[in-house]
């Protein structure tokens, strides 16, 4: 890895991690990625073969084990912690909450013992911010409702509720550690909405992330799926990657900050409208649906319930990828699977 600054990316085999790793490499960092099993990172390592001298994969079999990241953090400048349970079909909250909270604490404890660490960024979620109320949501808001409901319902909690509670509690653990330990490194959290956009690598269409799969379903001529929720808040995975790099590059500037990453409210019908125009030869394949239905000009949220993702734009001076570019770039990436 030469003399380059090293960034540790946990959960290196995930959908978000791929573009994050690529962005750090393109920004001139070396990257050490952690996975539970090395072969799970083969896809991303092969896709980034041009950076083979600057990309290292190490195993951390159990992120909850004491000292799990002690070796992985040695000599690193920054840490992007992405390893956390993802899904909407969990049935038992206890192991999911333990992994989200415990994994965050474990890597922070290892970082706290390593003098080289200067910046730490947690990949949290919009789920740690929003709740069922109406109104405007900003980084000042917290989802206290989800954890309270999970505590009440236990194993009867719906999977999506378990996931949102795990993200809220995992991020709470981050800020509690900061307050209790006053670490020498800076800390920031990124709170993206549903994630779409081209993966950095993909071996099979079955491995495509569930939140971006709607683009494939539309593009390949399947029925237009229902949105994951009303007015689904989406962001391009490459915007997340840029924010992660910014948080490590500008640690002192973003220290103590949270960043909602939301481009807008984007249902699958929008993908159909965009792709039918971008791919005229596929207009007989891509279902028409009801053009324009279910979303507003500029993909704005309804006035009564707004998720405000403008802070990251103000701080970095860079706007989000346009929805059209995100959907078309994803389709281009997926053409090989048609």
């Amino acid at each position: 890895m030469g003399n380059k600054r090293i960034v540790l990316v946990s959960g290196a085999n995930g959908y978000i991690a791929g573009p994050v790793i690529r962005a750090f490499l393109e920004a001139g960092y070396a990257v050490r990625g952690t996975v539970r099993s090395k072969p799970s990172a083969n896809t991303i390592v092969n896709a980034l073969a041009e950076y083979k001298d600057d990309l290292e994969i190490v195993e951390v079999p159990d992120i909850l084990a004491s000292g799990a990241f002690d070796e992985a953090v040695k000599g690193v400048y920054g840490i992007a912690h992405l390893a956390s349970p993802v899904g909407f079909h969990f049935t038992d909250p206890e192991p999911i909450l333990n992994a989200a909270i415990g994994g965050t604490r474990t890597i922070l404890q290892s970082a706290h013992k390593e003098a080289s660490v200067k910046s730490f960024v947690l990949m949290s979620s919009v789920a740690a911010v929003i709740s069922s109320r109406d109104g405007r949501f900003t980084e000042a808001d917290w989802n206290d409702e989800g954890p309270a409901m999970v505590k009440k319902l236990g194993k009867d909690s719906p999977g999506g509720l378990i996931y949102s509670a795990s993200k809220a509690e995992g991020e709470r653990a981050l800020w509690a550690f900061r307050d209790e330990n006053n670490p020498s490194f800076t800390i920031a959290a990124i709170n993206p909405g549903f994630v779409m956009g081209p993966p950095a690598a993909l071996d099979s269409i079955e491995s495509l992330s569930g939140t971006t799969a709607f683009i494939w379903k539309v593009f390949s001529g399947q029925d237009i799926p229902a949105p994951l929720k009303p007015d689904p808040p989406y962001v391009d995975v490459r915007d997340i990657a840029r924010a992660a790099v910014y948080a490590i590059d500008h640690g002192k500037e973003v220290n103590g900050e949270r960043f909602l990453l939301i481009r807008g409210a984007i249902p699958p019908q929008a993908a159909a409208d965009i792709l039918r125009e971008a791919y005229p030869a596929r207009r007989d394949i891509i279902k028409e649906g009801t053009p324009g239905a279910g979303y507003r000009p500029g993909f704005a949220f309804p006035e009564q319930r707004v998720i405000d993702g403008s802070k990251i734009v103000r701080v970095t001076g860079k706007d989000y990828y346009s929805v059209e570019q995100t959907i078309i770039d994803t389709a281009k990436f997926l053409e090989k699977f048609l």
Side-chain angles (χ1 to χ4, degrees):
M1 292 187 170
N3 296 320
K4 293 183 176 180
R5 286 175 168 173
I6 303 169
V7 173
L8 184 73
V9 178
S10 68
N13 57 332
Y15 166 47
I16 296 175
V20 167
I21 291 170
R22 180 189 290 279
F24 277 118
L25 291 167
E26 289 176 346
Y29 289 95
V31 173
R32 183 179 298 152
T34 74
V35 290
R36 281 180 291 185
S37 172
K38 264 192 176 181
S40 69
N42 286 348
T43 301
I44 187 63
V45 169
N46 292 338
L48 298 174
E50 65 190 288
Y51 295 104
K52 64 181 185 299
D53 294 336
D54 293 323
L55 176 58
E56 173 190 16
I57 300 296
V58 298
E59 287 188 357
V60 177
D62 180 5
I63 66 172
L64 300 182
S66 177
F69 291 94
D70 282 2
E71 285 299 314
V73 302
K74 285 186 176 176
V76 307
Y77 174 82
I79 297 173
H81 181 45
L82 277 61
S84 189
V86 177
F88 303 105
H89 304 290
F90 300 125
T91 56
D92 184 355
E94 188 172 353
I96 306 306
L97 289 169
N98 286 346
I101 298 167
T104 300
R105 285 178 180 159
T106 302
I107 196 168
L108 283 165
Q109 286 163 355
S110 294
H112 195 37
K113 293 182 283 189
E114 178 56 44
S116 66
V117 179
K118 298 295 185 285
S119 301
F120 185 102
V121 59
L122 173 72
M123 195 60 59
S124 184
S125 169
V126 66
V129 176
I130 64 172
S131 55
S132 62
R133 69 167 175 84
D134 284 341
R136 176 175 291 271
F137 291 94
T138 71
E139 289 83 358
D141 294 300
W142 278 92
N143 175 17
D144 295 321
E145 179 181 83
M149 287 292 291
V150 166
K151 188 174 182 180
K152 179 180 177 182
L153 295 173
K155 291 186 178 181
D156 292 328
S157 302
L161 184 65
I162 294 172
Y163 171 73
S164 67
S166 77
K167 299 308 288 188
E169 295 291 77
E171 191 187 339
R172 286 285 196 192
L174 171 78
W175 299 118
F177 183 91
R178 179 200 61 175
D179 294 344
E180 293 162 8
N181 295 278
N182 190 27
S184 59
F185 50 86
T186 63
I187 291 178
I190 295 173
N191 302 75
F194 293 139
V195 186
M196 61 178 181
L202 193 68
D203 278 347
S204 69
I205 199 65
E206 290 75 25
S207 302
L208 185 64
S209 168
T211 57
T212 204
F214 76 94
I215 299 175
W216 166 252
K217 290 176 181 177
V218 169
F219 188 45
S220 60
Q222 300 176 48
D223 288 340
I224 300 172
L228 291 173
K229 61 181 294 184
D231 299 303
Y234 267 96
V235 67
D236 191 306
V237 67
R238 295 167 296 183
D239 285 315
I240 299 173
R242 287 195 305 199
V245 173
Y246 191 91
I248 298 298
D249 276 348
H250 302 83
K252 290 181 179 178
E253 179 186 343
V254 304
N255 191 26
E257 299 291 340
R258 308 170 83 199
F259 293 95
L260 270 170
L261 266 59
I262 309 288
R263 172 57 184 84
I266 305 153
Q269 178 66 54
D273 296 346
I274 290 165
L275 292 176
R276 281 172 59 82
E277 183 175 338
Y279 286 86
R282 296 186 62 79
R283 286 179 73 90
D284 291 338
I285 298 170
I286 298 170
K287 300 285 195 298
E288 183 178 20
T290 307
Y295 62 99
R296 297 159 202 82
F299 304 96
F301 287 96
E303 289 183 8
Q304 69 270 23
R305 182 178 166 85
V306 175
I307 308 173
D308 185 352
S310 63
K311 177 179 174 179
I312 190 70
V313 177
R314 292 195 304 273
V315 170
T316 66
K318 291 186 177 180
D319 205 350
Y320 291 102
Y321 279 86
S322 73
V323 175
E324 291 80 5
Q325 184 178 356
T326 298
I327 289 173
I328 291 169
D329 286 353
T330 306
K332 286 179 180 175
F333 178 91
L334 297 174
E335 285 176 3
K336 60 188 175 185
F337 295 106
L338 288 172

